[in-house]
């Protein structure tokens, strides 16, 4: 899943935080945790915390599932 939400999210400086949160919220809701975890590859240092924040806003279960998927993908949380 190169590109997509990751490229848009990396341009968060140019977008409002509200738009970024909406984009990440949609990603967390519509994609599997594994797909979301693969999407952070362009910039894990920026994207992992933002994605985890979005997952936490969805549910505790989604947050835990994403943490697990990120660890499996090699991204420390």
């Amino acid at each position: 899943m190169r590109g997509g939400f990751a490229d848009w999210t990396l341009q968060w400086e140019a977008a409002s935080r509200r738009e970024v949160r909406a984009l990440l919220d949609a990603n967390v809701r519509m994609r599997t945790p594994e797909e979301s975890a693969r999407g952070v590859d362009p910039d894990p240092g920026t994207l992992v915390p933002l994605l985890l924040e979005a997952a936490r806003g969805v549910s505790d279960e989604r947050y835990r599932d994403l943490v697990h998927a990120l660890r499996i993908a090699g991204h420390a949380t």
Side-chain angles (χ1 to χ4, degrees), residues 1-12 19-20 22-28 31-43 46-48 50-52 54 66 70:
M1 190 179 115
R2 287 257 182 238
F5 88 92
D7 288 339
W8 298 323
T9 303
L10 291 173
Q11 296 179 24
W12 67 275
E19 291 169 332
V20 170
L23 179 63
L24 291 170
D25 181 74
N27 177 274
V28 168
R31 304 231 183 246
T32 67
E34 295 78 15
E35 289 172 323
S36 294
R38 285 192 301 271
V40 303
D41 287 342
D43 187 358
T46 299
L47 296 171
V48 167
L50 293 172
L51 202 59
L52 286 173
L66 182 58
L70 286 165

